[in-house]
Every structure is written in structure tokens, then in C-alpha cells.
Amino acid sequence: MKKTFNAIMAIAALTITTLAYAQTFPSRPVKIIVPYPPGGITDIVGRTIAEGLSQELGQPVVVDNRVGASGVIGAVAAARANPDGYTLFVGTSTTNGTNPSTQQSLQYDPAKDFEPVALLAASPFMMIVNDKVPARTVSEFVKYAKGRPDKVFYGTPGAGGSIHLSTELFSLEAGIEMVHVPYKGSSPALTDLLGGSLQVMLDNMPSAVSLMQAGKVRALAVTGKARSPLAPDVPTLKEAGYPNFDSESWLALYAPADTPEAVINTLNAAVNKSLKRPSLLEVFNKVGLVTYGGTPGELASYQAAEIEKWAKVVKAINYEAK
């Protein structure tokens, strides 16, 4: 009886301590680890949400760029941080979606090493072809590719990333065979697409829309759930005859595993309020991002579905983890 009483008192004391901690959180600056370089979409999202959180939480929120290894360096640093809510992480469709299937001996587990806070935003990719390709619709491109098995080349910023796997997913659903040409970044791939060495590629919205508007490429579709506000006249792949196709570059906020639930709830509420700020929406809209928000549980379910989806694609194309 005495042991039971002591155990109950210990649990009660821990609960009171946790609640008291949550009520005073945050009492000092918060850091957000961004696993990619300054200036990119992930960095823009990290800095914009940091500004919003700072205003909502009443404490400075700073960005720490930890770059390298497809986001692994930043992810590991965040996963190993103290689970007190003062170190957060902007995870992406690569770090928390495709890496588990494409990275050998990954040093972190997205499901076990992080507490989901909220899905921040997402953007589709745009399917573009060079002006020498006669196709003006997705169906015309599929017909064009089927008539040239292994003679249609597509480029990506690198093997194993979201764009690579998204293109392979489309090839599987369309029943076509294309040759993958990986590059070190999008710029050299786009150069070869414009030069005619590549026939097609998926690209991030801002750069693809710029090339489309300049008349340098032809846009066939976007890969997300809905049309992009940056290109409202370009149909989705769902509209083009692939109702199950959905691939977006997404970003979400996480805390290290075992961060107190009350702290997670405080952060989640602050994120959802931040995502409604006009100044944030203006920044996100300019780069083609659609805001999401939601609960930690919804993010956990979304991440699990993404990991499962890309694991199936990796297996189907016999991609060897590196």
C-alpha cells in the first residue's frame, strides 16, 4: 500500500511539475534548426514561421541552418537536442518522408525521434517539357514517351530525392520508361532541359513558373491535390487522368521526442495562429506554398502515409539505399 501511495504521489508531482513548466514556457529564446542552406524554400519557411512564433510566444525565435547530407545533419542535431521545446526542427518531405527509404543506416527515425507539432505548408512540383517535345498535354506526353522507350530523358537535382521519386511514381502510374539523369542541383538540370538534352522534368514551382512565363518551357501539369495559385491554368495530374497521384514538397515543424505534451500543444497553437497572419501568407503565396496547420496527430498520420508511399516506390524501382 505504501509503495502504491508513493508511486501515485510521484506521478502527481511529475504532472504538477510538467504543467508548471508548460505554463512558463517559453521563458527564453527558442531555436529552429533548418537542415538546408539560407535562401532556399525551407529556409524561407523556417524564418517566416520563426517570426510568427516569436510574436505569438513573446520570445525571440532564431534559425540555425545545419546543412548537409540531404538534411540528415540537421535532423540528427534536432533529434539529439534536449526535449524541452527550446529546439525545434523544420522537417521536409525529404528528411521525414523519403530519407527512411533512400538513406542507408539513417541516424534518426522520423517516427521515433521527433514529436510532431504541425504541418506548415506544401507546394506541388510542375511537370515541364522543352519546346522541342510536341506534347501539350499529359496524355500526349505519355503517348510520346511510350513511342520512345528508354529514349526520353528526365533530370533531377539528385538521386533519391522527392523530385526523383515523384517522377518515378508518375512513370509507374503512366506505364512509361524514361531514363533518369541526376544532377547536383536543379540549375544544371534546367540548363540541359532548355538545351534539349532532357525532354522533361519536375521542378519547384517558382523556377518552373518563371520559365513557363518566359516561353522557354511548356507546363503540362502540377503534382499536388489542387491547382497552384502561381499557375491556375495548369491542371493537376489528377485532372489529367491520374486520380491517385499526389506528390508535394511539404514542410512541417517538429520537436525532439519526449518533449512534454503541454509544450507541444502550446507550440501547435502558436503555429496555427502564425499561419493565419497576412504577412506570412504573403510570403508563402509568393513562392507557391499552400498553408496547412492542424494537429500533431494529423501530422503524425500524414508523415506515416508519406513514408509508406515512398517506401513502395523505392521498392518498385529497385532503388538501392546509399
Side-chain angles (χ1 to χ4, degrees):
M1 180 68 73
K2 184 176 180 180
K3 289 183 177 179
T4 301
F5 176 77
N6 289 340
I8 292 173
M9 292 303 293
I11 293 172
L14 178 61
T15 301
I16 292 171
T17 301
T18 300
L19 289 173
Y21 178 82
Q23 288 173 352
T24 61
F25 173 85
S27 58
R28 54 186 171 85
V30 175
K31 176 174 67 177
I32 298 179
I33 293 179
V34 171
Y36 296 102
I41 292 293
T42 309
D43 182 67
I44 290 172
V45 168
R47 293 181 187 280
T48 307
I49 200 67
E51 182 180 346
L53 288 178
S54 179
Q55 295 178 23
E56 294 295 336
L57 297 173
Q59 288 288 343
V61 180
V62 298
V63 168
D64 180 8
N65 297 91
R66 300 283 187 95
V67 181
S70 296
V72 171
I73 291 175
V76 170
R80 294 177 179 173
N82 289 331
D84 55 11
Y86 288 96
T87 299
L88 306 176
F89 175 63
V90 177
T92 70
S93 48
T94 296
T95 61
N96 291 59
T98 62
N99 273 358
S101 298
T102 61
Q103 295 280 329
Q104 194 174 49
S105 302
L106 193 63
Q107 300 173 54
Y108 66 93
D109 184 323
K112 295 179 180 179
D113 292 333
F114 295 102
E115 297 289 349
V117 176
L119 185 62
L120 299 175
S123 174
F125 302 115
M126 178 178 276
M127 180 183 290
I128 52 178
V129 295
N130 70 46
D131 57 8
K132 297 182 180 64
V133 175
R136 295 186 175 276
T137 65
V138 173
S139 60
E140 289 178 358
F141 177 78
V142 170
K143 183 178 180 180
Y144 169 83
K146 285 184 176 180
R148 296 164 179 77
D150 295 325
K151 292 183 180 179
V152 175
F153 294 82
Y154 77 91
T156 70
S162 297
I163 288 180
H164 174 206
L165 297 185
S166 296
T167 310
E168 288 292 348
L169 176 59
F170 171 72
S171 296
L172 290 169
E173 294 206 5
I176 59 177
E177 296 179 3
M178 300 190 292
V179 180
H180 177 214
V181 183
Y183 292 79
K184 292 183 178 180
S186 294
S187 294
L190 289 170
T191 297
D192 279 357
L193 178 72
L194 298 179
S197 300
L198 303 175
Q199 282 70 51
V200 63
M201 68 179 287
L202 299 185
D203 191 31
N204 292 311
M205 289 299 299
S207 53
V209 168
S210 177
L211 291 171
M212 176 192 73
Q213 292 175 340
K216 295 181 178 180
V217 299
R218 192 177 306 117
L220 302 184
V222 294
T223 64
K225 300 178 183 66
R227 296 191 181 198
S228 170
L230 290 185
D233 294 332
V234 179
T236 65
L237 279 171
K238 290 178 182 290
E239 294 175 288
Y242 300 89
N244 298 319
F245 196 96
D246 178 20
S247 176
E248 295 180 305
S249 176
W250 53 268
L251 306 102
L253 194 67
Y254 298 86
D258 298 324
T259 299
E261 182 179 0
V263 171
I264 294 295
N265 290 338
T266 296
L267 290 167
N268 175 264
V271 167
N272 281 309
K273 289 180 180 178
S274 296
L275 292 176
K276 295 177 181 178
R277 289 179 171 270
S279 57
L280 180 146
L281 293 172
E282 182 180 1
V283 173
F284 280 19
N285 289 339
K286 283 182 179 179
V287 293
L289 289 168
V290 176
T291 57
Y292 278 89
T295 68
E298 288 169 339
L299 173 54
S301 297
Y302 181 80
Q303 175 182 269
E306 284 286 289
I307 291 173
E308 181 181 6
K309 175 173 70 177
W310 297 123
K312 289 179 179 178
V313 173
V314 166
K315 183 177 181 180
I317 65 175
N318 296 315
Y319 180 83
E320 186 175 345
K322 298 177 181 179

